[in-house]
Amino acid sequence: MIEDKNPQRTSLSQLGEFGLIEHLTKNFEVKQPSTLKSIGDDAAVLDFKDKKILVSTDLLIEGVHFDLSYMPLRHLGYKAVVVNVSDICAMNAKATQITVSVAVSNRFPLEALEELFDGITLAAKFYNVDVIGGDTTSSQKGLIISITAIGEANEDEIIYRNGAKEGDLLVVTGDLGSAYMGLQVLEREKQVFQVNPNNQPDLDAYTYLIERQLKPEARHDIKILLEKLDLKPTSMIDISDGLSSEIIHICKQSKVGCNLYEEKIPVDPQFINVCEEFNIDSTTVAINGGEDYELLFTIALEDFDKIKANPNFTVIGHLTQESEGIHLITRANTKIPLKARGWDALSE
């Protein structure tokens, strides 16, 4: 890809706030019947009739959640939507609308925001959600994105974190750890570039890992798959902060213990190779990495036959009495207390 050394730069002051909103939101289409009024008034109007409404919000801050030296703005816009849609999926619900708010400094021209909103538009189209509003304001430095996702579900479809029972099986979708290792590759190449700007990275061996970091996908397919299998999990959560943290959330809210088996944790072959290259323990990364946006859920033991041959699911453990605690069972059959070492937004 050839970089344009003299890109067009349109000052945001030329449009003003309302002109900017009109310009950035002109491509959003309304597709959901529950959207009565979208962008253009003081508030959006939704009609969910007999459905239950679910709402989730996430904030992404430059320098904390993303680095624009290797995160393309189009990818960032897409990922910002995915992060929020994933929360709705984790409740076994369907995402239907989002609001988008951005704070930008004057270092960003209009063309940069167009790139960001191109990614948001692409994700909205892929996940079939309506963009119904939001806000724009200035930032002293950097870029801030806040997206609120709205979803719908019948009351009997919704799955919470607190429904797991002793004896339930612990199940995960997809594979784990790849997003974290993709980040490590990007950080390494950034440091190499800072030393030698003429060096062009060869990332062919890391394609899957980088994609998992820069363009993850929410598992909106799982709700439909579970319906086809006639299976309702007893609890569910998405894996954004690391497997260990999410298991502990379910166990604490459901008042149960857990045995997680190291040998059962699903990982990609490319992930294993890169962990060896970086001399990092693959299990440590797989249970603590975060940003995989897979789903972790529990099912009753008698439902095992419904998923045992399905490639989308891996049974990684089982739940125990709360008094037994939360443990990782290593390949050497050693029992180790499971600690939450995943992402902590308020850590020093």
Side-chain angles (χ1 to χ4, degrees):
M1 179 180 254
I2 300 174
E3 182 182 357
D4 184 357
K5 299 296 184 182
N6 297 292
Q8 180 182 355
R9 290 181 60 88
T10 305
S11 171
L12 299 183
S13 62
Q14 291 179 227
L15 289 86
E17 180 182 1
F18 299 112
L20 175 63
I21 293 171
E22 183 178 351
H23 181 86
L24 293 176
T25 61
K26 62 186 178 184
N27 294 324
F28 293 136
E29 301 176 20
V30 172
K31 298 180 180 179
Q32 297 290 338
S34 51
T35 306
L36 298 185
K37 178 64 179 178
S38 180
I39 298 167
D41 216 306
D42 287 311
V45 181
L46 308 178
D47 179 11
F48 286 90
K49 297 182 173 66
D50 297 328
K51 298 280 188 179
K52 299 302 178 184
I53 302 170
L54 299 94
V55 181
S56 180
T57 298
D58 268 297
L59 196 63
L60 299 178
I61 300 174
E62 184 178 358
V64 177
H65 301 100
F66 60 88
D67 186 334
L68 290 178
S69 65
Y70 51 72
M71 169 64 87
L73 284 165
R74 185 179 281 105
H75 286 68
L76 176 61
Y78 192 97
K79 184 174 181 176
V81 175
V82 166
V83 167
N84 288 273
V85 169
S86 181
D87 283 333
I88 302 299
C89 294
M91 302 291 290
N92 198 41
K94 174 188 175 185
T96 49
Q97 288 91 4
I98 58 172
T99 65
V100 179
S101 297
V102 295
V104 293
S105 70
N106 58 11
R107 88 173 204 263
F108 291 93
L110 172 63
E111 288 73 22
L113 289 189
E114 286 177 334
E115 287 279 311
L116 179 72
F117 272 73
D118 281 348
I120 293 172
T121 304
L122 182 63
K125 182 177 181 180
F126 181 76
Y127 290 103
N128 196 31
V129 296
D130 294 339
V131 182
I132 60 167
D135 192 20
T136 58
T137 189
S138 61
S139 167
Q140 289 296 319
K141 58 179 181 179
L143 172 65
I144 300 171
I145 308 169
S146 176
I147 291 185
T148 295
I150 300 165
E152 64 178 34
N154 295 322
E155 186 171 10
D156 61 354
E157 294 175 326
I158 300 172
I159 300 172
Y160 301 94
R161 298 177 182 181
N162 64 357
K165 301 288 190 294
E166 178 188 347
D168 284 357
L169 300 177
L170 191 66
V171 185
V172 70
T173 65
D175 61 84
L176 304 178
S178 293
Y180 179 86
M181 288 313 297
L183 178 63
Q184 300 314 300
V185 170
L186 291 167
E187 286 285 353
R188 181 185 66 182
E189 295 306 320
K190 174 186 175 181
Q191 293 174 11
V192 171
F193 178 80
Q194 289 173 338
V195 173
N196 181 11
N198 294 319
N199 183 71
Q200 292 298 313
D202 181 5
L203 301 176
D204 288 347
Y206 313 104
T207 304
Y208 178 69
L209 306 185
I210 291 173
E211 182 177 358
R212 291 282 280 181
Q213 171 59 219
L214 297 185
K215 190 178 176 289
E217 299 289 357
R219 296 307 304 262
H220 68 307
D221 57 319
I222 298 300
K223 174 176 167 53
I224 298 171
L225 183 54
L226 291 173
E227 288 173 357
K228 289 180 179 178
L229 294 172
D230 188 28
L231 174 64
K232 183 180 179 181
T234 54
S235 68
M236 185 182 287
I237 192 171
D238 78 328
I239 304 175
S240 56
D241 299 328
L243 177 64
S244 58
S245 296
E246 316 304 3
I247 289 175
I248 290 171
H249 281 314
I250 285 179
C251 287
K252 285 187 175 179
Q253 294 199 26
S254 297
K255 294 181 170 50
V256 292
C258 177
N259 286 330
L260 166 67
Y261 292 87
E262 180 182 16
E263 63 182 4
K264 300 294 185 182
I265 299 172
V267 293
D268 187 81
Q270 190 176 100
F271 164 79
I272 294 293
N273 292 338
V274 177
C275 283
E276 291 176 354
E277 180 183 336
F278 277 72
N279 195 28
I280 297 176
D281 179 68
S282 60
T283 299
T284 300
V285 175
I287 65 176
N288 297 310
E291 288 201 297
D292 292 303
Y293 299 105
E294 296 291 346
L295 295 178
L296 173 73
F297 60 92
T298 55
I299 63 171
L301 182 59
E302 53 265 30
D303 285 330
F304 172 66
D305 286 345
K306 295 179 180 180
I307 69 163
K308 66 179 181 182
N310 196 300
N312 291 283
F313 305 129
T314 304
V315 176
I316 59 173
H318 65 269
L319 304 187
T320 62
Q321 290 183 354
E322 183 178 20
S323 60
E324 292 188 28
I326 307 168
H327 293 92
L328 172 70
I329 311 300
T330 70
R331 291 185 179 89
N333 205 31
T334 303
K335 203 170 186 178
I336 302 172
L338 191 64
K339 303 292 185 182
R341 294 191 174 92
W343 168 254
D344 181 353
L346 301 180
S347 62
E348 292 294 335

